[in-house]
Amino acid sequence: MSLIDRLLPVWIILAMAAGLLLSHTGLADVLGATEIAGVSLPVAVGLLVMMYPPLAKVRYDTAGRITADRRLMAVSLTLNWILGPALMFALAWLFLPDQPELRTGLIIVGLARCIAMVLIWSELACGDRETTAVLVAVNSVFQVLMFGVLGWFYLQILPSWLGLSTTSAEFSFLAIAGSVLVFLGIPLVAGAASRLLGERLRGHRWYEEVFLPRVSPLALIGLLYTIVILFTLQGHQVTDDPWSVARVALPLVVYFAVMPALALTLSRAVGLGYARSTSVAFTAAGNNFELAIAVAVGTFGADSGQALAGTVGPLIEVPVLVGLVYVIRRLGPLLFPGDSTLPPGAASSSDPVPSPTITEHTIP
């Protein structure tokens, strides 16, 4: 196990700290000016590098079997497109009743379902990578189709029904589709092409035992790089308005704790095993912060409270979901005793938890 794998939380904390320090240098302005079609090029590079190894590991021939599992799809769609947005709406009004800008930004974060880092968190927790990839793809399609509709519902229609103040906002279909295309489409095509060409030219054994171990470290390298760049770009907003950050952080912590708990409970109730339940939990808990920030900035402006709320999202999500990796690995043997998809060497309730590694995975 590499040093990065064994000390993952330490490296992530150091990456966050480095980004916050760099945010007060001229580097933040240089990085912020490097955009293509409204997409931050440095962040895009990090996300693409980070997402490629998990998608290169996926066995794409299993996608049909996964989508045919009605229990899995029903639980995932319910969590992502009904319970998740509704929970964030409730938390936004509960914790920020006097802050309409921050509240609106928080609701937008809840509507942007994760299509990027969730692949890393699920992989670290030894979720089923094929299931995670399929659920991410399904979320992407729903995101393009439903983001604007749900934004209209939660920012205008539902508050009006409840006698609350409403928010006028327009969402660009092209911006949403572009985000999905860049952050999922490119690494998805690259991953599928790698498996197809690698197995055809060199064989299945070479691909699994030689190629994948060589590219696997890129996932964590890309993750740490992305965290540094993200905190460099957004860190000044954190230090300039710490009270607003704290107010937004509290409902986000509650959200990131409640969603995986709901996901694991529902998944276990319908009979899903550890690996698939873990995939469901992370796809339900994570959010597409790039899309949320882009929509908030494009609709309300870079200096708006909505943009600040979007920025706080990944600042809270990254450390909380890293912690969730360890929690799920610890609870796995308790919630799914004897399950064949538990992580290799899964601990009992009295044993120490092995540190997660990006290369570990049990294929169900």
Side-chain angles (χ1 to χ4, degrees), residues 147-148 170-177 291 295 299:
F147 189 94
E170 295 180 359
F171 303 108
S172 169
F173 172 85
L174 292 179
I176 297 169
L291 176 59
V295 168
T299 305

Side-chain angles (χ1 to χ4, degrees), residues 37-311:
V39 176
S40 171
L41 185 58
V43 173
V45 170
L47 288 173
L48 294 178
V49 172
M50 176 186 72
M51 292 174 64
Y52 169 70
L55 290 172
K57 296 176 183 179
V58 171
R59 297 174 301 163
Y60 292 92
D61 57 339
T62 66
R65 174 174 54 84
I66 293 171
T67 55
D69 189 333
R70 295 183 179 180
R71 300 169 304 164
L72 171 70
M73 301 308 298
V75 169
S76 179
L77 291 175
T78 299
L79 286 165
N80 276 288
W81 298 103
I82 299 178
L83 296 181
L87 175 62
M88 191 69 88
F89 175 86
L91 292 173
W93 275 98
L94 179 63
F95 286 93
L96 301 167
D98 59 333
Q99 296 290 329
E101 290 190 358
L102 297 178
R103 185 176 63 240
T104 297
L106 201 60
I107 292 172
I108 291 174
V109 170
L111 299 178
R113 313 313 299 170
C114 193
I115 63 170
M117 284 192 177
V118 64
L119 292 162
I120 297 296
W121 310 137
S122 179
E123 185 82 0
L124 287 169
C126 294
D128 185 287
R129 64 173 64 102
E130 285 75 32
T131 297
T132 304
V134 168
L135 294 182
V136 163
V138 171
N139 273 349
S140 301
V141 173
F142 269 76
Q143 199 152 240
V144 173
L145 298 176
M146 298 301 297
F147 189 94
V149 174
L150 290 176
W152 169 71
F153 176 77
Y154 280 104
L155 295 177
Q156 298 184 47
I157 300 302
L158 185 57
S160 178
W161 288 351
L162 299 175
L164 305 172
S165 60
T166 61
T167 302
S168 177
E170 295 180 359
F171 303 108
S172 169
F173 172 85
L174 292 179
I176 297 169
S179 175
V180 173
L181 179 63
V182 171
F183 297 122
L184 177 64
I186 293 176
L188 182 64
V189 170
S194 295
R195 179 168 287 278
L196 177 64
L197 294 176
E199 292 189 346
R200 179 172 296 179
L201 297 176
R202 301 294 298 273
H204 176 78
R205 182 173 180 177
W206 175 88
Y207 186 82
E208 293 286 341
E209 298 180 4
V210 178
F211 179 77
L212 289 182
R214 288 178 180 174
V215 301
S216 289
L218 291 176
L220 288 182
I221 293 172
L223 171 63
L224 295 174
Y225 163 84
T226 301
I227 291 172
V228 171
I229 297 299
L230 182 66
F231 277 62
T232 299
L233 290 171
Q234 307 296 340
H236 69 280
Q237 295 194 50
V238 176
T239 55
D240 290 346
D241 195 358
W243 175 239
S244 293
V245 170
R247 293 199 62 182
V248 174
L250 186 55
L252 282 170
V253 170
V254 175
Y255 176 86
F256 291 131
V258 171
M259 283 304 294
L262 283 174
L264 288 174
T265 300
L266 290 176
S267 298
R268 186 171 181 269
V270 300
L272 299 180
Y274 171 86
R276 286 195 170 184
S277 296
T278 297
S279 297
V280 170
F282 280 104
T283 52
N287 293 91
N288 184 355
F289 58 82
E290 271 295 310
L291 176 59
I293 293 172
V295 168
V297 170
T299 305
F300 301 101
D303 297 326
S304 65
Q306 292 89 341
L308 175 60
T311 299

